[in-house]
Amino acid sequence: MKYVCDMLQIDIPIFQGGMGNISNAQLTSAVSEAGGLGTIGCGTMTPTQVEEIIIQTKKRTSRNFALNIAINVSPYTDELIQLIIKHKIPIVSLSAGNPVPYIAKLHEHDVKVIVLVASVKHAQKAEAAGADILVAEGFEAAGINSNLELTTFTLIPQIVKSVKVPVIAAGGIGDGKGLAAALMLGASGIQIGTRLIATQDAPFHDQYKNSLVNSSDTETTIIGRSFGQIRRILKTPYSNKLEELEQAGLTPEQYRELTSEVNHVKGAIEGDLENGFINSGQIAGLINHIPSVEELFESMMNEALNQIEQTSNDLRGLSYKKD
């Protein structure tokens, strides 16, 4: 845990997940200023759009932040790598594709490379390719997911056992107890996304934030299974429409069009839940207020520490047979 914080020059082991085309300087800088690792998700944005967010983020914080590139999602992967080098971004996370062609080049420029994985096999390949840190994401997470559908609770300990580099847990984590659980599973920290949406520092539509606050434990749904393109979103009028169309025989091209970043922006930024979707992880049911990022992180760290101490004391108080 401390090793990861020292490597990335952050205070606490909490990473912001990439949020694609709704990424912004305001939330990214707030996460970094609060001691975590802020992240700009490039999504399908052009290099010019991403560069503007980088510039604005640097104006807001002098702390480290990362760039996330979804390799097979972005049509500009090579250009974004050049942008990282140009702006001396110290940390990059690579997802949704083969990271091998990029890791050595990034290391040449002293960039720490985080690779998102969803299985033991993926983790071992990423480690062999030179990844500095792995983010292991379970099926509970928001947005685009692995079609392997492994859960965080089962995924983390298996990956931790199979590699030597630090592993960060993602998916199904939204409070201090989740942080404590991830650490007990062997993770060196956590990555969160959905919980950061419902913060005062996130410039998303109130409809999005309030939908999360008012959600129950069963408010997310999966779309795209029939196309091998798993995505977890919040239940809304638009999600109902997508499910009906998929069951009726939607073509892969139509599915990609209806779940494009254009429709993501409509839901998340414009609050149009009739014509756009909003991503959400299964932790939506845990969200009941909208704090600042700083307040959120402070409460998560304190709750994690208290939970670990309490559980440790409870375990010590048990009587059990020792060999």
Side-chain angles (χ1 to χ4, degrees):
M1 182 166 40
K2 188 176 186 302
Y3 175 73
V4 167
C5 290
D6 289 345
M7 181 197 301
L8 304 182
Q9 297 180 36
I10 58 178
D11 298 332
I12 57 176
I14 302 178
F15 296 8
Q16 175 187 358
M19 295 179 176
N21 289 43
I22 65 170
S23 279
N24 57 84
Q26 183 173 325
L27 181 57
T28 300
S29 59
V31 171
S32 291
E33 282 292 298
L37 179 65
T39 302
I40 299 169
C42 299
T44 60
M45 288 189 286
T46 67
T48 300
Q49 291 173 307
V50 174
E51 185 169 32
E52 179 58 28
I53 298 175
I54 290 172
I55 292 168
Q56 291 302 318
T57 302
K58 284 185 171 182
K59 288 180 179 178
R60 288 173 170 267
T61 183
S62 60
R63 311 273 329 239
N64 278 356
F65 61 89
L67 213 67
N68 168 254
I69 302 174
I71 296 167
N72 291 336
V73 173
S74 174
Y76 310 106
T77 296
D78 291 334
E79 293 93 330
L80 293 170
I81 295 293
Q82 291 303 316
L83 202 58
I84 289 161
I85 296 168
K86 173 184 176 181
H87 285 278
K88 298 181 179 179
I89 304 298
I91 306 156
V92 171
S93 68
L94 301 174
S95 58
N98 180 13
V100 175
Y102 308 102
I103 294 177
K105 184 172 185 177
L106 290 166
H107 280 167
E108 287 175 6
H109 295 273
D110 298 321
V111 178
K112 299 300 182 184
V113 181
I114 302 167
V115 176
L116 188 71
V117 298
S119 73
V120 169
K121 182 179 179 180
H122 293 158
Q124 291 173 329
K125 284 187 173 182
E127 180 183 44
D132 298 294
I133 297 172
L134 303 177
V135 170
E137 184 173 74
F139 177 56
E140 302 93 327
I144 297 173
N145 270 310
S146 167
N147 57 13
L148 298 174
E149 300 191 16
L150 298 175
T151 65
T152 302
F153 204 86
T154 57
L155 183 65
I156 299 304
Q158 292 183 71
I159 289 184
V160 168
K161 186 178 179 180
S162 70
V163 299
K164 294 181 180 179
V165 296
V167 177
I168 304 299
I173 304 167
D175 59 12
K177 291 182 178 179
L179 169 57
L183 297 177
M184 293 303 96
L185 291 173
S188 296
I190 60 171
Q191 177 172 288
I192 60 176
T194 302
R195 188 60 190 90
L196 288 170
I197 298 293
T199 60
Q200 295 169 17
D201 302 286
F204 306 123
H205 201 281
D206 286 345
Q207 186 83 302
Y208 192 176
K209 297 183 183 184
N210 293 333
S211 294
L212 291 173
V213 170
N214 295 324
S215 291
S216 70
D217 57 343
T218 58
E219 290 296 315
T220 67
T221 188
I222 291 292
I223 57 171
R225 274 199 181 99
S226 57
F227 309 111
Q229 298 177 21
I230 305 297
R231 182 188 287 269
R232 187 179 294 282
I233 61 178
L234 203 67
K235 291 180 180 178
T236 62
Y238 192 71
S239 76
N240 294 336
K241 173 185 174 181
L242 290 173
E243 289 180 317
E244 291 172 1
L245 289 171
E246 185 174 352
Q247 291 170 8
L250 196 66
T251 67
E253 293 75 18
Q254 289 171 325
Y255 173 77
R256 284 192 292 271
E257 182 179 349
L258 291 169
T259 57
S260 72
E261 286 300 314
V262 172
N263 301 97
H264 186 194
V265 169
K266 283 182 181 179
I269 305 299
E270 299 173 17
D272 183 355
L273 304 186
E274 295 286 341
N275 298 294
F277 64 89
I278 46 179
N279 290 328
S280 174
Q282 287 186 314
I283 61 100
L286 287 173
I287 299 173
N288 55 25
H289 70 304
I290 304 176
S292 68
V293 171
E294 184 177 11
E295 290 167 343
L296 174 65
F297 284 1
E298 183 177 1
S299 69
M300 289 180 70
M301 293 295 288
N302 288 335
E303 185 180 33
L305 181 60
N306 291 337
Q307 186 65 42
I308 291 169
E309 289 179 344
Q310 179 183 325
T311 302
S312 179
N313 290 334
D314 288 345
L315 280 172
R316 289 194 182 96
L318 295 177
S319 297
Y320 64 97
K321 184 177 179 180
K322 299 180 180 179
D323 294 330

